[in-house]
Amino acid sequence: MTSTTPASTKAAPDFCEGIQHFGEALPDFDTYGKTPAIAEGKGAIADPNDAAAVFQTLLAADALRYLTLQVTGSKASGHPGGFASQAEAYAALVMLGYKNILTEVGHHAPGFYSAMFLDRSLEDMGIETVQQLRDRFREKHGLLGHLSGYIPGILAPAGPLGQGQHFAMAAALLHRDKLFPFTIGDGGMGEPYPMSSMAHFNTAYPSVTNFLPVLVWNGFSQEHHSMVSTKSNEEMIAYWKGNGFKEVILVDAKDFDDQNQPGAYVDGTAFSFKQRLAFTKAVLSGVDKAAKSALGGTLTVFIIKQLKGAGVHALGAKSHNLYAKDTLDAPHMITALKQRALSPEAWALVRTNAERAGGGPAAKTVVTEFELPVAELGELPLEEYAVGGAPQVSTTAMGRLVGKVGQSDRNFLVTNADGNEASGIANINQALKIIHPTSDDLYNQAPQGQVYEPLSEDACAGLAVGLCLMGARSLWCSYESFAINGLPIWQTVTQAMAELRRATPSTVTLFTAGALEQGRNGWTHQRPEIEAYFASMMRNGNVFPLFPPDANSIQACYEWALTTRNKGIVITSSKSPLPIHTTFEQTRQGLRDGAVVLQEVKGSETEKTVVFAVIGDMTLMPVFEAAAFLETEGLGVRIVSIINPRRLYRPHDVAWDTCSQADDGFLDDAGFERLFGGGALIGVTGGAAAMLEPIMLRSNSKRDTFAWKRGETTASAGELMAFNGLTAEALTKRAIELVH
């Protein structure tokens, strides 16, 4: 195809401002491009075998490639190659009316933005022309380098590999009548999570097949050949079938090549125009078959096999990333753009089809552009225990409430990789049942249960937070020591919630069996450094780690969490029977103020009052013991339980005002002084010292910190605390040193 840059572009639609190269009309445009293949008032083409539909799908694929390359070239930065190798598949999905499209691959972002531009979704953020698209790519308050739900029409964030399928499965679970395709790269198949999580999901929900992996098999990953590049087509089909996929539809560009390209992976844009149409027709028909199969109850994958970089500035891994040399005035970039350039009439046709597809712009039609209605929970069955009464298991007290939530809200899901019974929350399983194809009352199993138990923290966290992102409630339960394996996707979603343009239920977690309870299991089960992860994220503005000191407190914490939106709420609690220190009202105050006083004894000299700022429940034991001794020495003692440390930062420490559903609740200086003012301040935690930063940052007292150092095998929590210096004797000694 020859290309020109007309001296005048007056005939081009207004949105084309910024397009640098226009091409001449493709062969037979007057025949197949006369009227849009998606008729007015329709949301999809009528027939995937219709010649005009095939022709216009090819136009859409070239438009996506052109925009992807010009947008990335405008900043000599970004990732055009991966998306380019599957442009026909994306175009086919759109022409068939499917717009709830997600991706596993953050590097596909410029292609997705190009699609959102073509269907006019980006007009919601003031991007109406190609020039504006270029200007705001990879800029603040613009089109960030990797996908985010902040962008109109984009369903979910994409960045770290191994995450996209969770969002697609969560959406499919909540919207059984819609298709949720998601692109996945063959480079990302080196991650073990996508396939295993889909296999478990299919076992748990065999009828929920309306998510469609679209494997972009282009032979390369980011910087080299992909690890599956040596597989034959038969081996790739067998791989997917061996993992439970009943329908595997593979379209290989090599089968249509008439240019004698070497190797197993070829560039479909290099074919003769006749063969380009044949390849596009095969993709369009294949995608149509795959979509109907997935919507019809069959676990299906569509695979497009085409060389990475097809139709852009370079091929193979060299097409993955743009560098400083890849500017729009570089000869190789100009050549590539001219090869993909469309006529003004073709741009107008592509735009019309794109905005009609799916019933309108993605920003007006996809499921995440609307708040999902959530069930009314009614009154929670709170049970307030007497302060000083019999010890109670906190997790069990919360589990009772979780059961009520699930019974009131059928979309609600609890996930746990290591088993709820091991965390003192067997009552959740009893109330909601573990999802399993084998019904068994002894093990609380049932096919229609609401407790999801894959042996993977990534799969647990992924589906739980995916549901919240899509607008539903969930609870991810884990041992504190293992949760680290699921945190990347929890962090991705919590960060995404901070910038969402809609309200959605907060992600809520329950992390149990803390390091202090795991003495006999040794250091493999003692990893409270996870708390440092949350401590650093508190400055994000929407992350709230909660540390209820007892069974009353945990109920009030969960009650509050259920009322919040767009937050990441982490509840950490022991599973051992422990004393009751607080009333419900005290915890509600602690949630507002950040902390609550559990005990205060006035000494003879105010300046010698020792304040213990304590995070956790079991850590209170040596503190109360130390306080008793200090009282005999005539010292004043105040024990403060830190329940919601995020409230104890100063407002300027936290990016709260940049968050969607912003929360500006912080304890003022006078309130801080009432809680923590004294002659000496000792922060105590059985986890990471970083969690105490808000208190240590603001205190003007002489102060010190007692915190976790490392794990060891011990016979009791007390012995493990002693190994880490968390003893009454050590606390007493340091307190006396600080006040004298």
Side-chain angles (χ1 to χ4, degrees), residues 167-191:
F167 303 132
M169 292 187 299
L173 193 57
L174 294 171
H175 304 277
R176 308 286 179 95
D177 61 333
K178 292 181 170 59
L179 183 72
F180 296 92
F182 69 98
T183 58
I184 176 173
D186 55 339
M189 284 182 68
E191 297 285 337

mmCIF file with all atom_site columns, all heavy atoms in Angstrom, residues 167-191:
data_model
loop_
_atom_site.group_PDB
_atom_site.id
_atom_site.type_symbol
_atom_site.label_atom_id
_atom_site.label_alt_id
_atom_site.label_comp_id
_atom_site.label_asym_id
_atom_site.label_entity_id
_atom_site.label_seq_id
_atom_site.pdbx_PDB_ins_code
_atom_site.Cartn_x
_atom_site.Cartn_y
_atom_site.Cartn_z
_atom_site.occupancy
_atom_site.B_iso_or_equiv
_atom_site.pdbx_formal_charge
_atom_site.auth_seq_id
_atom_site.auth_comp_id
_atom_site.auth_asym_id
_atom_site.auth_atom_id
_atom_site.pdbx_PDB_model_num
ATOM 1   N N   . PHE A 1 167 ? -9.006  -10.410 37.466 1.00 0.00 ? 167 PHE A N   1
ATOM 2   C CA  . PHE A 1 167 ? -10.023 -9.386  37.219 1.00 0.00 ? 167 PHE A CA  1
ATOM 3   C C   . PHE A 1 167 ? -11.093 -9.908  36.263 1.00 0.00 ? 167 PHE A C   1
ATOM 4   O O   . PHE A 1 167 ? -12.287 -9.658  36.447 1.00 0.00 ? 167 PHE A O   1
ATOM 5   C CB  . PHE A 1 167 ? -9.377  -8.125  36.658 1.00 0.00 ? 167 PHE A CB  1
ATOM 6   C CG  . PHE A 1 167 ? -8.300  -7.553  37.533 1.00 0.00 ? 167 PHE A CG  1
ATOM 7   C CD1 . PHE A 1 167 ? -7.068  -7.185  37.002 1.00 0.00 ? 167 PHE A CD1 1
ATOM 8   C CD2 . PHE A 1 167 ? -8.498  -7.386  38.892 1.00 0.00 ? 167 PHE A CD2 1
ATOM 9   C CE1 . PHE A 1 167 ? -6.075  -6.663  37.807 1.00 0.00 ? 167 PHE A CE1 1
ATOM 10  C CE2 . PHE A 1 167 ? -7.509  -6.865  39.705 1.00 0.00 ? 167 PHE A CE2 1
ATOM 11  C CZ  . PHE A 1 167 ? -6.284  -6.499  39.157 1.00 0.00 ? 167 PHE A CZ  1
ATOM 12  N N   . ALA A 1 168 ? -10.655 -10.634 35.235 1.00 0.00 ? 168 ALA A N   1
ATOM 13  C CA  . ALA A 1 168 ? -11.613 -11.172 34.273 1.00 0.00 ? 168 ALA A CA  1
ATOM 14  C C   . ALA A 1 168 ? -12.516 -12.210 34.930 1.00 0.00 ? 168 ALA A C   1
ATOM 15  O O   . ALA A 1 168 ? -13.735 -12.229 34.693 1.00 0.00 ? 168 ALA A O   1
ATOM 16  C CB  . ALA A 1 168 ? -10.869 -11.785 33.089 1.00 0.00 ? 168 ALA A CB  1
ATOM 17  N N   . MET A 1 169 ? -11.951 -13.068 35.768 1.00 0.00 ? 169 MET A N   1
ATOM 18  C CA  . MET A 1 169 ? -12.761 -14.093 36.437 1.00 0.00 ? 169 MET A CA  1
ATOM 19  C C   . MET A 1 169 ? -13.726 -13.468 37.433 1.00 0.00 ? 169 MET A C   1
ATOM 20  O O   . MET A 1 169 ? -14.883 -13.897 37.549 1.00 0.00 ? 169 MET A O   1
ATOM 21  C CB  . MET A 1 169 ? -11.855 -15.118 37.122 1.00 0.00 ? 169 MET A CB  1
ATOM 22  C CG  . MET A 1 169 ? -11.070 -15.970 36.134 1.00 0.00 ? 169 MET A CG  1
ATOM 23  S SD  . MET A 1 169 ? -10.123 -17.326 36.879 1.00 0.00 ? 169 MET A SD  1
ATOM 24  C CE  . MET A 1 169 ? -8.996  -16.463 37.961 1.00 0.00 ? 169 MET A CE  1
ATOM 25  N N   . ALA A 1 170 ? -13.277 -12.458 38.163 1.00 0.00 ? 170 ALA A N   1
ATOM 26  C CA  . ALA A 1 170 ? -14.167 -11.778 39.109 1.00 0.00 ? 170 ALA A CA  1
ATOM 27  C C   . ALA A 1 170 ? -15.329 -11.126 38.374 1.00 0.00 ? 170 ALA A C   1
ATOM 28  O O   . ALA A 1 170 ? -16.490 -11.227 38.799 1.00 0.00 ? 170 ALA A O   1
ATOM 29  C CB  . ALA A 1 170 ? -13.381 -10.734 39.911 1.00 0.00 ? 170 ALA A CB  1
ATOM 30  N N   . ALA A 1 171 ? -15.029 -10.466 37.266 1.00 0.00 ? 171 ALA A N   1
ATOM 31  C CA  . ALA A 1 171 ? -16.092 -9.826  36.489 1.00 0.00 ? 171 ALA A CA  1
ATOM 32  C C   . ALA A 1 171 ? -17.055 -10.870 35.934 1.00 0.00 ? 171 ALA A C   1
ATOM 33  O O   . ALA A 1 171 ? -18.280 -10.673 35.940 1.00 0.00 ? 171 ALA A O   1
ATOM 34  C CB  . ALA A 1 171 ? -15.479 -9.007  35.353 1.00 0.00 ? 171 ALA A CB  1
ATOM 35  N N   . ALA A 1 172 ? -16.511 -11.993 35.469 1.00 0.00 ? 172 ALA A N   1
ATOM 36  C CA  . ALA A 1 172 ? -17.359 -13.049 34.916 1.00 0.00 ? 172 ALA A CA  1
ATOM 37  C C   . ALA A 1 172 ? -18.287 -13.627 35.981 1.00 0.00 ? 172 ALA A C   1
ATOM 38  O O   . ALA A 1 172 ? -19.450 -13.954 35.708 1.00 0.00 ? 172 ALA A O   1
ATOM 39  C CB  . ALA A 1 172 ? -16.483 -14.149 34.320 1.00 0.00 ? 172 ALA A CB  1
ATOM 40  N N   . LEU A 1 173 ? -17.782 -13.736 37.186 1.00 0.00 ? 173 LEU A N   1
ATOM 41  C CA  . LEU A 1 173 ? -18.573 -14.273 38.288 1.00 0.00 ? 173 LEU A CA  1
ATOM 42  C C   . LEU A 1 173 ? -19.747 -13.357 38.628 1.00 0.00 ? 173 LEU A C   1
ATOM 43  O O   . LEU A 1 173 ? -20.845 -13.823 38.957 1.00 0.00 ? 173 LEU A O   1
ATOM 44  C CB  . LEU A 1 173 ? -17.664 -14.449 39.507 1.00 0.00 ? 173 LEU A CB  1
ATOM 45  C CG  . LEU A 1 173 ? -18.167 -15.258 40.698 1.00 0.00 ? 173 LEU A CG  1
ATOM 46  C CD1 . LEU A 1 173 ? -18.574 -16.661 40.278 1.00 0.00 ? 173 LEU A CD1 1
ATOM 47  C CD2 . LEU A 1 173 ? -17.084 -15.319 41.774 1.00 0.00 ? 173 LEU A CD2 1
ATOM 48  N N   . LEU A 1 174 ? -19.522 -12.064 38.518 1.00 0.00 ? 174 LEU A N   1
ATOM 49  C CA  . LEU A 1 174 ? -20.560 -11.094 38.881 1.00 0.00 ? 174 LEU A CA  1
ATOM 50  C C   . LEU A 1 174 ? -21.522 -10.785 37.736 1.00 0.00 ? 174 LEU A C   1
ATOM 51  O O   . LEU A 1 174 ? -22.646 -10.340 37.970 1.00 0.00 ? 174 LEU A O   1
ATOM 52  C CB  . LEU A 1 174 ? -19.900 -9.788  39.347 1.00 0.00 ? 174 LEU A CB  1
ATOM 53  C CG  . LEU A 1 174 ? -19.087 -9.877  40.641 1.00 0.00 ? 174 LEU A CG  1
ATOM 54  C CD1 . LEU A 1 174 ? -18.322 -8.577  40.865 1.00 0.00 ? 174 LEU A CD1 1
ATOM 55  C CD2 . LEU A 1 174 ? -19.988 -10.176 41.841 1.00 0.00 ? 174 LEU A CD2 1
ATOM 56  N N   . HIS A 1 175 ? -21.074 -11.011 36.495 1.00 0.00 ? 175 HIS A N   1
ATOM 57  C CA  . HIS A 1 175 ? -21.888 -10.667 35.316 1.00 0.00 ? 175 HIS A CA  1
ATOM 58  C C   . HIS A 1 175 ? -21.900 -11.874 34.384 1.00 0.00 ? 175 HIS A C   1
ATOM 59  O O   . HIS A 1 175 ? -21.152 -11.920 33.396 1.00 0.00 ? 175 HIS A O   1
ATOM 60  C CB  . HIS A 1 175 ? -21.323 -9.440  34.608 1.00 0.00 ? 175 HIS A CB  1
ATOM 61  C CG  . HIS A 1 175 ? -21.193 -8.232  35.476 1.00 0.00 ? 175 HIS A CG  1
ATOM 62  N ND1 . HIS A 1 175 ? -22.223 -7.370  35.741 1.00 0.00 ? 175 HIS A ND1 1
ATOM 63  C CD2 . HIS A 1 175 ? -20.121 -7.747  36.168 1.00 0.00 ? 175 HIS A CD2 1
ATOM 64  C CE1 . HIS A 1 175 ? -21.819 -6.406  36.540 1.00 0.00 ? 175 HIS A CE1 1
ATOM 65  N NE2 . HIS A 1 175 ? -20.549 -6.604  36.821 1.00 0.00 ? 175 HIS A NE2 1
ATOM 66  N N   . ARG A 1 176 ? -22.755 -12.830 34.669 1.00 0.00 ? 176 ARG A N   1
ATOM 67  C CA  . ARG A 1 176 ? -22.733 -14.109 33.957 1.00 0.00 ? 176 ARG A CA  1
ATOM 68  C C   . ARG A 1 176 ? -23.159 -13.990 32.487 1.00 0.00 ? 176 ARG A C   1
ATOM 69  O O   . ARG A 1 176 ? -22.922 -14.900 31.695 1.00 0.00 ? 176 ARG A O   1
ATOM 70  C CB  . ARG A 1 176 ? -23.651 -15.122 34.658 1.00 0.00 ? 176 ARG A CB  1
ATOM 71  C CG  . ARG A 1 176 ? -23.414 -15.297 36.158 1.00 0.00 ? 176 ARG A CG  1
ATOM 72  C CD  . ARG A 1 176 ? -22.165 -16.086 36.471 1.00 0.00 ? 176 ARG A CD  1
ATOM 73  N NE  . ARG A 1 176 ? -21.927 -16.223 37.895 1.00 0.00 ? 176 ARG A NE  1
ATOM 74  C CZ  . ARG A 1 176 ? -22.297 -17.267 38.639 1.00 0.00 ? 176 ARG A CZ  1
ATOM 75  N NH1 . ARG A 1 176 ? -22.933 -18.269 38.087 1.00 0.00 ? 176 ARG A NH1 1
ATOM 76  N NH2 . ARG A 1 176 ? -22.021 -17.313 39.930 1.00 0.00 ? 176 ARG A NH2 1
ATOM 77  N N   . ASP A 1 177 ? -23.807 -12.891 32.125 1.00 0.00 ? 177 ASP A N   1
ATOM 78  C CA  . ASP A 1 177 ? -24.329 -12.761 30.765 1.00 0.00 ? 177 ASP A CA  1
ATOM 79  C C   . ASP A 1 177 ? -23.406 -11.984 29.842 1.00 0.00 ? 177 ASP A C   1
ATOM 80  O O   . ASP A 1 177 ? -23.738 -11.750 28.680 1.00 0.00 ? 177 ASP A O   1
ATOM 81  C CB  . ASP A 1 177 ? -25.692 -12.064 30.800 1.00 0.00 ? 177 ASP A CB  1
ATOM 82  C CG  . ASP A 1 177 ? -25.609 -10.651 31.385 1.00 0.00 ? 177 ASP A CG  1
ATOM 83  O OD1 . ASP A 1 177 ? -24.684 -10.396 32.194 1.00 0.00 ? 177 ASP A OD1 1
ATOM 84  O OD2 . ASP A 1 177 ? -26.464 -9.812  31.051 1.00 0.00 ? 177 ASP A OD2 1
ATOM 85  N N   . LYS A 1 178 ? -22.248 -11.587 30.331 1.00 0.00 ? 178 LYS A N   1
ATOM 86  C CA  . LYS A 1 178 ? -21.330 -10.785 29.529 1.00 0.00 ? 178 LYS A CA  1
ATOM 87  C C   . LYS A 1 178 ? -19.998 -11.510 29.342 1.00 0.00 ? 178 LYS A C   1
ATOM 88  O O   . LYS A 1 178 ? -19.597 -12.320 30.176 1.00 0.00 ? 178 LYS A O   1
ATOM 89  C CB  . LYS A 1 178 ? -21.093 -9.424  30.181 1.00 0.00 ? 178 LYS A CB  1
ATOM 90  C CG  . LYS A 1 178 ? -22.312 -8.523  30.186 1.00 0.00 ? 178 LYS A CG  1
ATOM 91  C CD  . LYS A 1 178 ? -22.014 -7.171  30.815 1.00 0.00 ? 178 LYS A CD  1
ATOM 92  C CE  . LYS A 1 178 ? -23.159 -6.187  30.598 1.00 0.00 ? 178 LYS A CE  1
ATOM 93  N NZ  . LYS A 1 178 ? -24.424 -6.672  31.155 1.00 0.00 ? 178 LYS A NZ  1
ATOM 94  N N   . LEU A 1 179 ? -19.324 -11.197 28.252 1.00 0.00 ? 179 LEU A N   1
ATOM 95  C CA  . LEU A 1 179 ? -18.018 -11.798 27.965 1.00 0.00 ? 179 LEU A CA  1
ATOM 96  C C   . LEU A 1 179 ? -16.912 -10.873 28.443 1.00 0.00 ? 179 LEU A C   1
ATOM 97  O O   . LEU A 1 179 ? -16.960 -9.657  28.210 1.00 0.00 ? 179 LEU A O   1
ATOM 98  C CB  . LEU A 1 179 ? -17.869 -12.050 26.466 1.00 0.00 ? 179 LEU A CB  1
ATOM 99  C CG  . LEU A 1 179 ? -16.571 -12.756 26.053 1.00 0.00 ? 179 LEU A CG  1
ATOM 100 C CD1 . LEU A 1 179 ? -16.606 -14.221 26.483 1.00 0.00 ? 179 LEU A CD1 1
ATOM 101 C CD2 . LEU A 1 179 ? -16.341 -12.637 24.548 1.00 0.00 ? 179 LEU A CD2 1
ATOM 102 N N   . PHE A 1 180 ? -15.904 -11.474 29.077 1.00 0.00 ? 180 PHE A N   1
ATOM 103 C CA  . PHE A 1 180 ? -14.760 -10.705 29.559 1.00 0.00 ? 180 PHE A CA  1
ATOM 104 C C   . PHE A 1 180 ? -13.470 -11.290 28.977 1.00 0.00 ? 180 PHE A C   1
ATOM 105 O O   . PHE A 1 180 ? -12.796 -12.109 29.600 1.00 0.00 ? 180 PHE A O   1
ATOM 106 C CB  . PHE A 1 180 ? -14.728 -10.704 31.087 1.00 0.00 ? 180 PHE A CB  1
ATOM 107 C CG  . PHE A 1 180 ? -15.915 -10.007 31.683 1.00 0.00 ? 180 PHE A CG  1
ATOM 108 C CD1 . PHE A 1 180 ? -17.059 -10.718 32.016 1.00 0.00 ? 180 PHE A CD1 1
ATOM 109 C CD2 . PHE A 1 180 ? -15.917 -8.631  31.858 1.00 0.00 ? 180 PHE A CD2 1
ATOM 110 C CE1 . PHE A 1 180 ? -18.172 -10.077 32.527 1.00 0.00 ? 180 PHE A CE1 1
ATOM 111 C CE2 . PHE A 1 180 ? -17.026 -7.980  32.365 1.00 0.00 ? 180 PHE A CE2 1
ATOM 112 C CZ  . PHE A 1 180 ? -18.160 -8.704  32.702 1.00 0.00 ? 180 PHE A CZ  1
ATOM 113 N N   . PRO A 1 181 ? -13.145 -10.864 27.758 1.00 0.00 ? 181 PRO A N   1
ATOM 114 C CA  . PRO A 1 181 ? -11.879 -11.308 27.172 1.00 0.00 ? 181 PRO A CA  1
ATOM 115 C C   . PRO A 1 181 ? -10.720 -10.586 27.865 1.00 0.00 ? 181 PRO A C   1
ATOM 116 O O   . PRO A 1 181 ? -10.862 -9.452  28.324 1.00 0.00 ? 181 PRO A O   1
ATOM 117 C CB  . PRO A 1 181 ? -11.989 -10.856 25.711 1.00 0.00 ? 181 PRO A CB  1
ATOM 118 C CG  . PRO A 1 181 ? -13.385 -10.323 25.538 1.00 0.00 ? 181 PRO A CG  1
ATOM 119 C CD  . PRO A 1 181 ? -13.869 -9.945  26.883 1.00 0.00 ? 181 PRO A CD  1
ATOM 120 N N   . PHE A 1 182 ? -9.581  -11.261 27.942 1.00 0.00 ? 182 PHE A N   1
ATOM 121 C CA  . PHE A 1 182 ? -8.390  -10.561 28.426 1.00 0.00 ? 182 PHE A CA  1
ATOM 122 C C   . PHE A 1 182 ? -7.170  -11.078 27.676 1.00 0.00 ? 182 PHE A C   1
ATOM 123 O O   . PHE A 1 182 ? -7.025  -12.267 27.448 1.00 0.00 ? 182 PHE A O   1
ATOM 124 C CB  . PHE A 1 182 ? -8.211  -10.720 29.948 1.00 0.00 ? 182 PHE A CB  1
ATOM 125 C CG  . PHE A 1 182 ? -7.847  -12.101 30.403 1.00 0.00 ? 182 PHE A CG  1
ATOM 126 C CD1 . PHE A 1 182 ? -6.524  -12.434 30.667 1.00 0.00 ? 182 PHE A CD1 1
ATOM 127 C CD2 . PHE A 1 182 ? -8.823  -13.063 30.576 1.00 0.00 ? 182 PHE A CD2 1
ATOM 128 C CE1 . PHE A 1 182 ? -6.187  -13.708 31.086 1.00 0.00 ? 182 PHE A CE1 1
ATOM 129 C CE2 . PHE A 1 182 ? -8.498  -14.341 31.006 1.00 0.00 ? 182 PHE A CE2 1
ATOM 130 C CZ  . PHE A 1 182 ? -7.172  -14.669 31.260 1.00 0.00 ? 182 PHE A CZ  1
ATOM 131 N N   . THR A 1 183 ? -6.344  -10.141 27.245 1.00 0.00 ? 183 THR A N   1
ATOM 132 C CA  . THR A 1 183 ? -5.147  -10.525 26.516 1.00 0.00 ? 183 THR A CA  1
ATOM 133 C C   . THR A 1 183 ? -4.067  -10.967 27.490 1.00 0.00 ? 183 THR A C   1
ATOM 134 O O   . THR A 1 183 ? -3.903  -10.399 28.576 1.00 0.00 ? 183 THR A O   1
ATOM 135 C CB  . THR A 1 183 ? -4.630  -9.373  25.639 1.00 0.00 ? 183 THR A CB  1
ATOM 136 O OG1 . THR A 1 183 ? -4.350  -8.229  26.452 1.00 0.00 ? 183 THR A OG1 1
ATOM 137 C CG2 . THR A 1 183 ? -5.655  -8.990  24.585 1.00 0.00 ? 183 THR A CG2 1
ATOM 138 N N   . ILE A 1 184 ? -3.355  -12.010 27.100 1.00 0.00 ? 184 ILE A N   1
ATOM 139 C CA  . ILE A 1 184 ? -2.269  -12.540 27.907 1.00 0.00 ? 184 ILE A CA  1
ATOM 140 C C   . ILE A 1 184 ? -1.093  -12.821 26.975 1.00 0.00 ? 184 ILE A C   1
ATOM 141 O O   . ILE A 1 184 ? -1.266  -13.396 25.903 1.00 0.00 ? 184 ILE A O   1
ATOM 142 C CB  . ILE A 1 184 ? -2.705  -13.805 28.677 1.00 0.00 ? 184 ILE A CB  1
ATOM 143 C CG1 . ILE A 1 184 ? -1.549  -14.421 29.445 1.00 0.00 ? 184 ILE A CG1 1
ATOM 144 C CG2 . ILE A 1 184 ? -3.334  -14.839 27.761 1.00 0.00 ? 184 ILE A CG2 1
ATOM 145 C CD1 . ILE A 1 184 ? -1.983  -15.572 30.361 1.00 0.00 ? 184 ILE A CD1 1
ATOM 146 N N   . GLY A 1 185 ? 0.092   -12.378 27.354 1.00 0.00 ? 185 GLY A N   1
ATOM 147 C CA  . GLY A 1 185 ? 1.255   -12.559 26.497 1.00 0.00 ? 185 GLY A CA  1
ATOM 148 C C   . GLY A 1 185 ? 1.934   -13.893 26.722 1.00 0.00 ? 185 GLY A C   1
ATOM 149 O O   . GLY A 1 185 ? 1.885   -14.464 27.818 1.00 0.00 ? 185 GLY A O   1
ATOM 150 N N   . ASP A 1 186 ? 2.597   -14.414 25.683 1.00 0.00 ? 186 ASP A N   1
ATOM 151 C CA  . ASP A 1 186 ? 3.294   -15.682 25.877 1.00 0.00 ? 186 ASP A CA  1
ATOM 152 C C   . ASP A 1 186 ? 4.537   -15.490 26.739 1.00 0.00 ? 186 ASP A C   1
ATOM 153 O O   . ASP A 1 186 ? 5.002   -16.437 27.383 1.00 0.00 ? 186 ASP A O   1
ATOM 154 C CB  . ASP A 1 186 ? 3.642   -16.357 24.554 1.00 0.00 ? 186 ASP A CB  1
ATOM 155 C CG  . ASP A 1 186 ? 4.438   -15.476 23.602 1.00 0.00 ? 186 ASP A CG  1
ATOM 156 O OD1 . ASP A 1 186 ? 4.395   -14.249 23.748 1.00 0.00 ? 186 ASP A OD1 1
ATOM 157 O OD2 . ASP A 1 186 ? 5.097   -16.017 22.703 1.00 0.00 ? 186 ASP A OD2 1
ATOM 158 N N   . GLY A 1 187 ? 5.052   -14.259 26.822 1.00 0.00 ? 187 GLY A N   1
ATOM 159 C CA  . GLY A 1 187 ? 6.126   -13.995 27.775 1.00 0.00 ? 187 GLY A CA  1
ATOM 160 C C   . GLY A 1 187 ? 5.641   -14.155 29.196 1.00 0.00 ? 187 GLY A C   1
ATOM 161 O O   . GLY A 1 187 ? 6.345   -14.691 30.061 1.00 0.00 ? 187 GLY A O   1
ATOM 162 N N   . GLY A 1 188 ? 4.399   -13.734 29.460 1.00 0.00 ? 188 GLY A N   1
ATOM 163 C CA  . GLY A 1 188 ? 3.824   -13.840 30.795 1.00 0.00 ? 188 GLY A CA  1
ATOM 164 C C   . GLY A 1 188 ? 3.463   -15.252 31.188 1.00 0.00 ? 188 GLY A C   1
ATOM 165 O O   . GLY A 1 188 ? 3.184   -15.522 32.361 1.00 0.00 ? 188 GLY A O   1
ATOM 166 N N   . MET A 1 189 ? 3.474   -16.168 30.227 1.00 0.00 ? 189 MET A N   1
ATOM 167 C CA  . MET A 1 189 ? 3.165   -17.554 30.572 1.00 0.00 ? 189 MET A CA  1
ATOM 168 C C   . MET A 1 189 ? 4.276   -18.197 31.388 1.00 0.00 ? 189 MET A C   1
ATOM 169 O O   . MET A 1 189 ? 4.127   -19.297 31.907 1.00 0.00 ? 189 MET A O   1
ATOM 170 C CB  . MET A 1 189 ? 2.897   -18.369 29.310 1.00 0.00 ? 189 MET A CB  1
ATOM 171 C CG  . MET A 1 189 ? 1.537   -18.089 28.719 1.00 0.00 ? 189 MET A CG  1
ATOM 172 S SD  . MET A 1 189 ? 1.184   -19.082 27.264 1.00 0.00 ? 189 MET A SD  1
ATOM 173 C CE  . MET A 1 189 ? 1.050   -20.706 28.007 1.00 0.00 ? 189 MET A CE  1
ATOM 174 N N   . GLY A 1 190 ? 5.405   -17.501 31.496 1.00 0.00 ? 190 GLY A N   1
ATOM 175 C CA  . GLY A 1 190 ? 6.454   -17.978 32.391 1.00 0.00 ? 190 GLY A CA  1
ATOM 176 C C   . GLY A 1 190 ? 6.043   -17.869 33.844 1.00 0.00 ? 190 GLY A C   1
ATOM 177 O O   . GLY A 1 190 ? 6.605   -18.535 34.721 1.00 0.00 ? 190 GLY A O   1
ATOM 178 N N   . GLU A 1 191 ? 5.042   -17.010 34.117 1.00 0.00 ? 191 GLU A N   1
ATOM 179 C CA  . GLU A 1 191 ? 4.490   -16.921 35.462 1.00 0.00 ? 191 GLU A CA  1
ATOM 180 C C   . GLU A 1 191 ? 3.565   -18.117 35.673 1.00 0.00 ? 191 GLU A C   1
ATOM 181 O O   . GLU A 1 191 ? 2.735   -18.420 34.809 1.00 0.00 ? 191 GLU A O   1
ATOM 182 C CB  . GLU A 1 191 ? 3.689   -15.625 35.623 1.00 0.00 ? 191 GLU A CB  1
ATOM 183 C CG  . GLU A 1 191 ? 4.510   -14.358 35.475 1.00 0.00 ? 191 GLU A CG  1
ATOM 184 C CD  . GLU A 1 191 ? 5.366   -14.079 36.693 1.00 0.00 ? 191 GLU A CD  1
ATOM 185 O OE1 . GLU A 1 191 ? 5.022   -14.574 37.774 1.00 0.00 ? 191 GLU A OE1 1
ATOM 186 O OE2 . GLU A 1 191 ? 6.377   -13.383 36.549 1.00 0.00 ? 191 GLU A OE2 1
#
